[in-house]
Amino acid sequence: MGVFKKEHRISNIIKDKLKACGGKALMPTLRGSNIAFWLSATDMGVEIDKLPNYILEWEHFDEIIKKANALGGKMYRGDALAQSGGKLGEDIPYNCMEGFIASELLFTEDGASITRRSTYYSGVLAWAGIITIHRSQGKGSFITVNAKYRNM
């Protein structure tokens, strides 16, 4: 195994763990069901059965952890807001996972409705042991970056 470049470390951890499982795994969810995911055929990231024809790109995982760490290691998901038709920058803040993914990674315009993706990104990150997913404590579900990955 080679030395990881710091800017790609999270994605390399996920990729290596997935390859060790034969390229497929099941991610946990807060509702207790498991969702299948696998290495994309293009090696650009992972695919999931719940979002056909969409790739969770490797660099997105790196950027999500970088942003969560910049927020003190805790990031709200915003998944309920996205699922209920919330608008980016109006109902969905830019510093929650949904808002960050939409605005900074997918370049979605302000005021647009967005597809819920935080469930899947956080599920893969939790499966890899990089984050912990927490149920809402009145402000919505959130993630915390596990101590080992706080300075990445």
Short mmCIF file of all heavy atoms in Angstrom, two decimals, residues 59-121:
data_model
loop_
_atom_site.label_atom_id
_atom_site.label_comp_id
_atom_site.label_asym_id
_atom_site.label_seq_id
_atom_site.Cartn_x
_atom_site.Cartn_y
_atom_site.Cartn_z
N GLU A 59 -13.81 12.57 -4.56
CA GLU A 59 -13.42 13.88 -4.03
C GLU A 59 -14.50 14.48 -3.14
O GLU A 59 -14.21 15.27 -2.25
CB GLU A 59 -13.04 14.85 -5.14
CG GLU A 59 -14.19 15.27 -6.02
CD GLU A 59 -13.78 16.19 -7.15
OE1 GLU A 59 -12.81 15.87 -7.86
OE2 GLU A 59 -14.43 17.22 -7.31
N HIS A 60 -15.76 14.11 -3.35
CA HIS A 60 -16.84 14.62 -2.52
C HIS A 60 -16.68 14.16 -1.07
O HIS A 60 -16.92 14.92 -0.14
CB HIS A 60 -18.20 14.19 -3.06
CG HIS A 60 -18.54 14.82 -4.37
ND1 HIS A 60 -19.73 14.57 -5.01
CD2 HIS A 60 -17.86 15.69 -5.17
CE1 HIS A 60 -19.77 15.26 -6.14
NE2 HIS A 60 -18.65 15.93 -6.26
N PHE A 61 -16.26 12.92 -0.88
CA PHE A 61 -16.04 12.42 0.47
C PHE A 61 -14.94 13.21 1.17
O PHE A 61 -15.08 13.59 2.33
CB PHE A 61 -15.68 10.92 0.45
CG PHE A 61 -16.81 10.04 0.01
CD1 PHE A 61 -16.82 9.50 -1.27
CD2 PHE A 61 -17.86 9.74 0.86
CE1 PHE A 61 -17.86 8.68 -1.68
CE2 PHE A 61 -18.90 8.93 0.45
CZ PHE A 61 -18.90 8.39 -0.83
N ASP A 62 -13.86 13.49 0.45
CA ASP A 62 -12.76 14.28 1.01
C ASP A 62 -13.24 15.67 1.41
O ASP A 62 -12.93 16.16 2.49
CB ASP A 62 -11.62 14.40 -0.01
CG ASP A 62 -11.02 13.06 -0.40
OD1 ASP A 62 -10.84 12.22 0.48
OD2 ASP A 62 -10.73 12.88 -1.60
N GLU A 63 -14.01 16.29 0.53
CA GLU A 63 -14.48 17.66 0.78
C GLU A 63 -15.51 17.73 1.91
O GLU A 63 -15.52 18.69 2.68
CB GLU A 63 -15.06 18.27 -0.50
CG GLU A 63 -14.01 18.50 -1.58
CD GLU A 63 -12.88 19.44 -1.14
OE1 GLU A 63 -13.17 20.44 -0.45
OE2 GLU A 63 -11.72 19.15 -1.49
N ILE A 64 -16.36 16.73 2.03
CA ILE A 64 -17.34 16.70 3.12
C ILE A 64 -16.63 16.63 4.47
O ILE A 64 -16.97 17.37 5.40
CB ILE A 64 -18.33 15.52 2.94
CG1 ILE A 64 -19.26 15.81 1.75
CG2 ILE A 64 -19.12 15.27 4.22
CD1 ILE A 64 -20.06 14.61 1.28
N ILE A 65 -15.63 15.77 4.58
CA ILE A 65 -14.90 15.67 5.85
C ILE A 65 -14.11 16.94 6.12
O ILE A 65 -14.06 17.42 7.26
CB ILE A 65 -13.99 14.42 5.86
CG1 ILE A 65 -14.85 13.16 5.79
CG2 ILE A 65 -13.09 14.40 7.10
CD1 ILE A 65 -15.93 13.04 6.88
N LYS A 66 -13.54 17.52 5.10
CA LYS A 66 -12.82 18.78 5.25
C LYS A 66 -13.76 19.86 5.79
O LYS A 66 -13.43 20.59 6.73
CB LYS A 66 -12.25 19.19 3.89
CG LYS A 66 -11.35 20.37 3.88
CD LYS A 66 -10.89 20.53 2.42
CE LYS A 66 -9.94 21.59 2.17
NZ LYS A 66 -9.61 21.70 0.74
N LYS A 67 -14.97 19.96 5.23
CA LYS A 67 -15.95 20.94 5.67
C LYS A 67 -16.44 20.64 7.08
O LYS A 67 -16.53 21.54 7.92
CB LYS A 67 -17.14 20.98 4.70
CG LYS A 67 -18.23 21.95 5.08
CD LYS A 67 -17.75 23.38 5.03
CE LYS A 67 -18.91 24.34 5.23
NZ LYS A 67 -18.48 25.74 5.18
N ALA A 68 -16.75 19.37 7.37
CA ALA A 68 -17.19 19.01 8.72
C ALA A 68 -16.12 19.35 9.75
O ALA A 68 -16.44 19.88 10.83
CB ALA A 68 -17.55 17.52 8.77
N ASN A 69 -14.87 19.08 9.43
CA ASN A 69 -13.78 19.44 10.34
C ASN A 69 -13.67 20.95 10.52
O ASN A 69 -13.43 21.43 11.63
CB ASN A 69 -12.46 18.84 9.87
CG ASN A 69 -12.33 17.38 10.23
OD1 ASN A 69 -12.93 16.91 11.18
ND2 ASN A 69 -11.55 16.64 9.45
N ALA A 70 -13.89 21.71 9.46
CA ALA A 70 -13.86 23.17 9.56
C ALA A 70 -15.00 23.69 10.45
O ALA A 70 -14.88 24.77 11.04
CB ALA A 70 -13.96 23.80 8.17
N LEU A 71 -16.07 22.91 10.55
CA LEU A 71 -17.21 23.27 11.40
C LEU A 71 -17.06 22.71 12.83
O LEU A 71 -18.02 22.68 13.58
CB LEU A 71 -18.52 22.75 10.78
CG LEU A 71 -18.94 23.38 9.46
CD1 LEU A 71 -20.08 22.61 8.83
CD2 LEU A 71 -19.33 24.85 9.69
N GLY A 72 -15.87 22.26 13.17
CA GLY A 72 -15.63 21.74 14.51
C GLY A 72 -15.85 20.25 14.65
O GLY A 72 -15.93 19.72 15.76
N GLY A 73 -15.99 19.55 13.53
CA GLY A 73 -16.15 18.11 13.56
C GLY A 73 -17.60 17.65 13.61
O GLY A 73 -17.87 16.46 13.68
N LYS A 74 -18.53 18.59 13.56
CA LYS A 74 -19.96 18.27 13.58
C LYS A 74 -20.64 18.97 12.42
O LYS A 74 -20.42 20.15 12.19
CB LYS A 74 -20.57 18.74 14.90
CG LYS A 74 -22.06 18.49 15.02
CD LYS A 74 -22.56 19.00 16.38
CE LYS A 74 -24.04 18.80 16.54
NZ LYS A 74 -24.50 19.30 17.87
N MET A 75 -21.50 18.23 11.71
CA MET A 75 -22.20 18.81 10.56
C MET A 75 -23.61 18.25 10.51
O MET A 75 -23.79 17.03 10.55
CB MET A 75 -21.44 18.46 9.28
CG MET A 75 -21.96 19.10 8.02
SD MET A 75 -20.93 18.58 6.60
CE MET A 75 -20.97 20.05 5.61
N TYR A 76 -24.58 19.15 10.47
CA TYR A 76 -25.96 18.70 10.31
C TYR A 76 -26.16 18.19 8.90
O TYR A 76 -25.56 18.69 7.95
CB TYR A 76 -26.94 19.84 10.63
CG TYR A 76 -27.03 20.08 12.11
CD1 TYR A 76 -26.23 21.02 12.73
CD2 TYR A 76 -27.90 19.30 12.89
CE1 TYR A 76 -26.29 21.20 14.11
CE2 TYR A 76 -27.96 19.47 14.26
CZ TYR A 76 -27.15 20.42 14.86
OH TYR A 76 -27.21 20.59 16.23
N ARG A 77 -27.01 17.19 8.76
CA ARG A 77 -27.22 16.59 7.45
C ARG A 77 -28.19 17.39 6.59
O ARG A 77 -27.96 17.53 5.40
CB ARG A 77 -27.69 15.14 7.59
CG ARG A 77 -26.61 14.28 8.20
CD ARG A 77 -26.84 12.81 8.22
NE ARG A 77 -28.19 12.36 8.06
CZ ARG A 77 -28.53 11.11 7.79
NH1 ARG A 77 -27.60 10.20 7.64
NH2 ARG A 77 -29.78 10.73 7.68
N GLY A 78 -29.31 17.84 7.11
CA GLY A 78 -30.28 18.58 6.32
C GLY A 78 -31.11 17.69 5.41
O GLY A 78 -31.78 18.17 4.50
N ASP A 79 -31.10 16.38 5.65
CA ASP A 79 -31.79 15.44 4.77
C ASP A 79 -33.30 15.61 4.82
O ASP A 79 -33.97 15.52 3.79
CB ASP A 79 -31.37 14.01 5.07
CG ASP A 79 -31.49 13.62 6.53
OD1 ASP A 79 -31.41 14.50 7.40
OD2 ASP A 79 -31.63 12.42 6.82
N ALA A 80 -33.86 15.88 5.99
CA ALA A 80 -35.31 16.07 6.09
C ALA A 80 -35.74 17.32 5.31
O ALA A 80 -36.79 17.33 4.67
CB ALA A 80 -35.74 16.18 7.55
N LEU A 81 -34.92 18.36 5.35
CA LEU A 81 -35.22 19.59 4.61
C LEU A 81 -35.23 19.33 3.10
O LEU A 81 -36.10 19.81 2.39
CB LEU A 81 -34.19 20.68 4.94
CG LEU A 81 -34.14 21.15 6.40
CD1 LEU A 81 -32.92 22.03 6.62
CD2 LEU A 81 -35.42 21.88 6.76
N ALA A 82 -34.26 18.57 2.64
CA ALA A 82 -34.19 18.26 1.21
C ALA A 82 -35.35 17.36 0.79
O ALA A 82 -35.96 17.57 -0.27
CB ALA A 82 -32.86 17.59 0.88
N GLN A 83 -35.67 16.39 1.62
CA GLN A 83 -36.74 15.46 1.27
C GLN A 83 -38.11 16.14 1.25
O GLN A 83 -38.98 15.76 0.50
CB GLN A 83 -36.76 14.28 2.25
CG GLN A 83 -37.70 13.19 1.82
CD GLN A 83 -37.45 11.89 2.55
OE1 GLN A 83 -36.51 11.76 3.32
NE2 GLN A 83 -38.29 10.92 2.31
N SER A 84 -38.27 17.19 2.06
CA SER A 84 -39.56 17.88 2.11
C SER A 84 -39.66 19.02 1.10
O SER A 84 -40.57 19.83 1.17
CB SER A 84 -39.83 18.39 3.52
OG SER A 84 -38.88 19.37 3.88
N GLY A 85 -38.73 19.08 0.16
CA GLY A 85 -38.81 20.08 -0.91
C GLY A 85 -38.17 21.41 -0.59
O GLY A 85 -38.43 22.41 -1.25
N GLY A 86 -37.31 21.44 0.42
CA GLY A 86 -36.63 22.68 0.79
C GLY A 86 -35.79 23.24 -0.35
O GLY A 86 -35.35 22.50 -1.23
N LYS A 87 -35.59 24.53 -0.33
CA LYS A 87 -34.83 25.22 -1.37
C LYS A 87 -33.43 25.59 -0.84
O LYS A 87 -33.28 26.04 0.30
CB LYS A 87 -35.54 26.50 -1.80
CG LYS A 87 -36.98 26.30 -2.22
CD LYS A 87 -37.07 25.78 -3.61
CE LYS A 87 -38.52 25.78 -4.06
NZ LYS A 87 -38.88 24.66 -4.85
N LEU A 88 -32.44 25.42 -1.68
CA LEU A 88 -31.06 25.74 -1.34
C LEU A 88 -30.91 27.22 -1.03
O LEU A 88 -31.31 28.07 -1.83
CB LEU A 88 -30.12 25.33 -2.48
CG LEU A 88 -28.64 25.62 -2.26
CD1 LEU A 88 -28.10 24.86 -1.06
CD2 LEU A 88 -27.84 25.27 -3.51
N GLY A 89 -30.34 27.52 0.12
CA GLY A 89 -30.10 28.90 0.51
C GLY A 89 -31.30 29.57 1.15
O GLY A 89 -31.18 30.65 1.71
N GLU A 90 -32.47 28.95 1.05
CA GLU A 90 -33.67 29.48 1.69
C GLU A 90 -34.00 28.62 2.91
O GLU A 90 -33.89 29.08 4.04
CB GLU A 90 -34.82 29.52 0.69
CG GLU A 90 -34.58 30.45 -0.49
CD GLU A 90 -35.63 30.33 -1.58
OE1 GLU A 90 -36.72 29.75 -1.33
OE2 GLU A 90 -35.36 30.82 -2.69
N ASP A 91 -34.38 27.38 2.66
CA ASP A 91 -34.70 26.44 3.73
C ASP A 91 -33.48 25.60 4.11
O ASP A 91 -33.36 25.16 5.25
CB ASP A 91 -35.82 25.47 3.29
CG ASP A 91 -36.99 26.20 2.67
OD1 ASP A 91 -37.59 27.03 3.37
OD2 ASP A 91 -37.29 25.94 1.50
N ILE A 92 -32.63 25.36 3.15
CA ILE A 92 -31.47 24.49 3.34
C ILE A 92 -30.21 25.34 3.40
O ILE A 92 -29.81 25.95 2.40
CB ILE A 92 -31.36 23.45 2.20
CG1 ILE A 92 -32.65 22.62 2.14
CG2 ILE A 92 -30.13 22.58 2.39
CD1 ILE A 92 -32.75 21.72 0.94
N PRO A 93 -29.58 25.43 4.59
CA PRO A 93 -28.38 26.26 4.73
C PRO A 93 -27.17 25.64 4.02
O PRO A 93 -27.10 24.42 3.84
CB PRO A 93 -28.16 26.34 6.24
CG PRO A 93 -28.89 25.18 6.82
CD PRO A 93 -29.99 24.82 5.85
N TYR A 94 -26.25 26.48 3.66
CA TYR A 94 -25.05 26.04 2.94
C TYR A 94 -24.09 25.24 3.82
O TYR A 94 -23.26 24.50 3.32
CB TYR A 94 -24.30 27.24 2.36
CG TYR A 94 -25.14 28.03 1.40
CD1 TYR A 94 -25.64 29.28 1.75
CD2 TYR A 94 -25.44 27.53 0.14
CE1 TYR A 94 -26.43 30.01 0.86
CE2 TYR A 94 -26.23 28.24 -0.74
CZ TYR A 94 -26.72 29.48 -0.38
OH TYR A 94 -27.50 30.18 -1.25
N ASN A 95 -24.19 25.40 5.14
CA ASN A 95 -23.24 24.71 6.01
C ASN A 95 -23.75 23.36 6.53
O ASN A 95 -23.08 22.72 7.31
CB ASN A 95 -22.81 25.60 7.17
CG ASN A 95 -23.96 25.94 8.10
OD1 ASN A 95 -25.12 25.70 7.79
ND2 ASN A 95 -23.63 26.55 9.23
N CYS A 96 -24.92 22.92 6.07
CA CYS A 96 -25.34 21.55 6.38
C CYS A 96 -24.87 20.67 5.21
O CYS A 96 -24.51 21.17 4.15
CB CYS A 96 -26.85 21.45 6.59
SG CYS A 96 -27.86 21.53 5.10
N MET A 97 -24.87 19.38 5.41
CA MET A 97 -24.33 18.48 4.38
C MET A 97 -25.08 18.62 3.06
O MET A 97 -24.45 18.69 2.00
CB MET A 97 -24.35 17.03 4.87
CG MET A 97 -23.59 16.10 3.95
SD MET A 97 -23.58 14.38 4.48
CE MET A 97 -22.49 14.46 5.87
N GLU A 98 -26.42 18.65 3.11
CA GLU A 98 -27.19 18.79 1.87
C GLU A 98 -26.85 20.09 1.14
O GLU A 98 -26.64 20.10 -0.07
CB GLU A 98 -28.70 18.74 2.14
CG GLU A 98 -29.21 17.41 2.60
CD GLU A 98 -29.18 16.32 1.56
OE1 GLU A 98 -28.84 16.56 0.38
OE2 GLU A 98 -29.49 15.18 1.93
N GLY A 99 -26.80 21.20 1.87
CA GLY A 99 -26.49 22.48 1.26
C GLY A 99 -25.08 22.54 0.72
O GLY A 99 -24.83 23.07 -0.36
N PHE A 100 -24.14 21.98 1.46
CA PHE A 100 -22.75 21.96 1.03
C PHE A 100 -22.57 21.14 -0.24
O PHE A 100 -21.93 21.58 -1.21
CB PHE A 100 -21.85 21.42 2.15
CG PHE A 100 -20.41 21.31 1.75
CD1 PHE A 100 -19.62 22.44 1.62
CD2 PHE A 100 -19.84 20.08 1.49
CE1 PHE A 100 -18.28 22.35 1.23
CE2 PHE A 100 -18.52 19.96 1.11
CZ PHE A 100 -17.74 21.10 0.98
N ILE A 101 -23.14 19.94 -0.25
CA ILE A 101 -23.03 19.08 -1.44
C ILE A 101 -23.63 19.78 -2.65
O ILE A 101 -23.01 19.85 -3.72
CB ILE A 101 -23.72 17.72 -1.20
CG1 ILE A 101 -22.96 16.91 -0.16
CG2 ILE A 101 -23.85 16.93 -2.51
CD1 ILE A 101 -23.73 15.71 0.38
N ALA A 102 -24.83 20.34 -2.48
CA ALA A 102 -25.51 20.98 -3.61
C ALA A 102 -24.76 22.21 -4.10
O ALA A 102 -24.53 22.36 -5.30
CB ALA A 102 -26.94 21.35 -3.21
N SER A 103 -24.36 23.09 -3.19
CA SER A 103 -23.77 24.36 -3.62
C SER A 103 -22.30 24.25 -4.01
O SER A 103 -21.90 24.77 -5.05
CB SER A 103 -23.93 25.42 -2.53
OG SER A 103 -23.20 25.08 -1.37
N GLU A 104 -21.50 23.55 -3.21
CA GLU A 104 -20.05 23.53 -3.42
C GLU A 104 -19.56 22.38 -4.29
O GLU A 104 -18.51 22.50 -4.92
CB GLU A 104 -19.33 23.50 -2.07
CG GLU A 104 -19.59 24.72 -1.22
CD GLU A 104 -19.08 26.01 -1.84
OE1 GLU A 104 -17.97 26.01 -2.42
OE2 GLU A 104 -19.79 27.02 -1.73
N LEU A 105 -20.28 21.28 -4.30
CA LEU A 105 -19.80 20.12 -5.05
C LEU A 105 -20.56 19.89 -6.35
O LEU A 105 -20.00 19.39 -7.31
CB LEU A 105 -19.87 18.86 -4.18
CG LEU A 105 -19.10 18.95 -2.85
CD1 LEU A 105 -19.28 17.68 -2.04
CD2 LEU A 105 -17.64 19.27 -3.06
N LEU A 106 -21.84 20.25 -6.36
CA LEU A 106 -22.66 20.05 -7.56
C LEU A 106 -23.04 21.36 -8.24
O LEU A 106 -23.71 21.34 -9.27
CB LEU A 106 -23.92 19.24 -7.20
CG LEU A 106 -23.65 17.87 -6.57
CD1 LEU A 106 -24.96 17.21 -6.17
CD2 LEU A 106 -22.86 16.99 -7.52
N PHE A 107 -22.65 22.48 -7.66
CA PHE A 107 -22.86 23.81 -8.23
C PHE A 107 -24.32 24.10 -8.56
O PHE A 107 -24.65 24.67 -9.60
CB PHE A 107 -21.95 24.02 -9.46
CG PHE A 107 -20.52 23.67 -9.17
CD1 PHE A 107 -19.96 22.51 -9.69
CD2 PHE A 107 -19.75 24.46 -8.34
CE1 PHE A 107 -18.64 22.17 -9.42
CE2 PHE A 107 -18.43 24.12 -8.05
CZ PHE A 107 -17.87 22.99 -8.59
N THR A 108 -25.21 23.72 -7.64
CA THR A 108 -26.64 23.96 -7.78
C THR A 108 -26.93 25.44 -7.51
O THR A 108 -26.34 26.04 -6.62
CB THR A 108 -27.41 23.07 -6.79
OG1 THR A 108 -27.03 21.71 -7.02
CG2 THR A 108 -28.91 23.22 -6.95
N GLU A 109 -27.86 25.99 -8.25
CA GLU A 109 -28.22 27.40 -8.09
C GLU A 109 -29.03 27.63 -6.82
O GLU A 109 -29.81 26.77 -6.40
CB GLU A 109 -29.02 27.87 -9.30
CG GLU A 109 -28.22 27.91 -10.58
CD GLU A 109 -29.02 28.46 -11.74
OE1 GLU A 109 -30.00 29.20 -11.51
OE2 GLU A 109 -28.65 28.16 -12.88
N ASP A 110 -28.87 28.82 -6.24
CA ASP A 110 -29.66 29.21 -5.08
C ASP A 110 -31.14 29.13 -5.41
O ASP A 110 -31.56 29.45 -6.53
CB ASP A 110 -29.33 30.65 -4.66
CG ASP A 110 -27.95 30.78 -4.06
OD1 ASP A 110 -27.33 29.76 -3.76
OD2 ASP A 110 -27.51 31.93 -3.88
N GLY A 111 -31.93 28.70 -4.43
CA GLY A 111 -33.37 28.62 -4.61
C GLY A 111 -33.87 27.35 -5.26
O GLY A 111 -35.07 27.12 -5.35
N ALA A 112 -32.96 26.49 -5.69
CA ALA A 112 -33.36 25.23 -6.34
C ALA A 112 -33.70 24.17 -5.29
O ALA A 112 -33.14 24.15 -4.20
CB ALA A 112 -32.23 24.72 -7.23
N SER A 113 -34.64 23.30 -5.64
CA SER A 113 -34.89 22.11 -4.83
C SER A 113 -33.75 21.15 -5.10
O SER A 113 -33.20 21.11 -6.20
CB SER A 113 -36.20 21.45 -5.25
OG SER A 113 -37.29 22.29 -4.94
N ILE A 114 -33.39 20.37 -4.10
CA ILE A 114 -32.27 19.46 -4.28
C ILE A 114 -32.67 18.03 -3.92
O ILE A 114 -33.60 17.80 -3.16
CB ILE A 114 -31.03 19.90 -3.46
CG1 ILE A 114 -31.35 19.98 -1.97
CG2 ILE A 114 -30.51 21.23 -3.97
CD1 ILE A 114 -30.15 20.32 -1.11
N THR A 115 -31.96 17.09 -4.49
CA THR A 115 -32.16 15.67 -4.20
C THR A 115 -31.41 15.32 -2.92
O THR A 115 -30.27 15.74 -2.74
CB THR A 115 -31.62 14.82 -5.36
OG1 THR A 115 -32.30 15.19 -6.55
CG2 THR A 115 -31.81 13.34 -5.10
N ARG A 116 -32.04 14.58 -2.06
CA ARG A 116 -31.41 14.18 -0.80
C ARG A 116 -30.25 13.23 -1.10
O ARG A 116 -30.43 12.18 -1.71
CB ARG A 116 -32.44 13.48 0.08
CG ARG A 116 -31.88 13.11 1.44
CD ARG A 116 -32.89 12.32 2.19
NE ARG A 116 -33.07 11.06 1.47
CZ ARG A 116 -33.58 9.98 2.00
NH1 ARG A 116 -34.00 10.00 3.22
NH2 ARG A 116 -33.70 8.88 1.29
N ARG A 117 -29.05 13.63 -0.69
CA ARG A 117 -27.86 12.81 -0.90
C ARG A 117 -27.08 12.54 0.39
O ARG A 117 -26.26 11.64 0.44
CB ARG A 117 -26.93 13.49 -1.92
CG ARG A 117 -27.52 13.51 -3.32
CD ARG A 117 -26.57 14.18 -4.30
NE ARG A 117 -27.07 14.08 -5.64
CZ ARG A 117 -27.84 14.99 -6.23
NH1 ARG A 117 -28.20 16.07 -5.56
NH2 ARG A 117 -28.26 14.82 -7.45
N SER A 118 -27.31 13.34 1.42
CA SER A 118 -26.51 13.21 2.65
C SER A 118 -26.66 11.83 3.29
O SER A 118 -25.72 11.32 3.89
CB SER A 118 -26.87 14.29 3.65
OG SER A 118 -28.20 14.15 4.12
N THR A 119 -27.82 11.21 3.14
CA THR A 119 -28.03 9.88 3.70
C THR A 119 -26.99 8.91 3.15
O THR A 119 -26.43 8.09 3.88
CB THR A 119 -29.44 9.37 3.34
OG1 THR A 119 -30.39 10.24 3.94
CG2 THR A 119 -29.66 7.94 3.81
N TYR A 120 -26.71 9.02 1.87
CA TYR A 120 -25.82 8.08 1.20
C TYR A 120 -24.35 8.39 1.47
O TYR A 120 -23.56 7.48 1.74
CB TYR A 120 -26.13 8.04 -0.29
CG TYR A 120 -27.62 7.89 -0.50
CD1 TYR A 120 -28.38 8.89 -1.10
CD2 TYR A 120 -28.30 6.76 -0.02
CE1 TYR A 120 -29.75 8.76 -1.25
CE2 TYR A 120 -29.67 6.63 -0.16
CZ TYR A 120 -30.39 7.63 -0.77
OH TYR A 120 -31.75 7.51 -0.90
N TYR A 121 -23.99 9.67 1.38
CA TYR A 121 -22.60 10.03 1.70
C TYR A 121 -22.28 9.69 3.16
O TYR A 121 -21.24 9.12 3.46
CB TYR A 121 -22.35 11.53 1.44
CG TYR A 121 -22.15 11.86 0.00
CD1 TYR A 121 -23.17 12.43 -0.76
CD2 TYR A 121 -20.93 11.62 -0.64
CE1 TYR A 121 -22.99 12.76 -2.10
CE2 TYR A 121 -20.74 11.94 -1.98
CZ TYR A 121 -21.77 12.50 -2.70
OH TYR A 121 -21.58 12.81 -4.02
#
